[in-house]
Amino acid sequence: MTAASGSAPWTGHPRRPLPRSMAGLRNLAIGVYRRDGRTNIAAALRSTARGCRRSLTALGLTG
């Protein structure tokens, strides 16, 4: 796909690094949840989405 075709978002790089970056962040989040003992990743994501400080607490950045 080219930027001119309009059928795919243009990331500014022909190899499309954005999807890889997003996949890496998703894998990081899953790893953090598993480290915390969570087994239901979908429920953990929903729980974190309801409170912005929950993700920081999961990373150990707040008390």
Side-chain angles (χ1 to χ4, degrees):
M1 298 288 148
T2 64
S5 70
S7 60
W10 178 250
T11 60
H13 191 277
R15 294 185 190 249
R16 308 260 194 256
L18 185 60
R20 287 185 186 167
S21 299
M22 295 301 292
L25 291 172
R26 181 179 183 274
N27 290 337
L28 174 66
I30 289 171
V32 168
Y33 290 135
R34 288 192 174 151
R35 186 191 69 188
D36 283 347
R38 299 274 188 98
T39 56
N40 189 339
I41 301 301
L45 288 169
R46 287 190 299 269
S47 173
T48 303
R50 286 192 289 270
C52 61
R53 296 210 181 248
R54 292 179 183 178
S55 57
L56 297 175
T57 303
L59 291 170
L61 299 176
T62 61

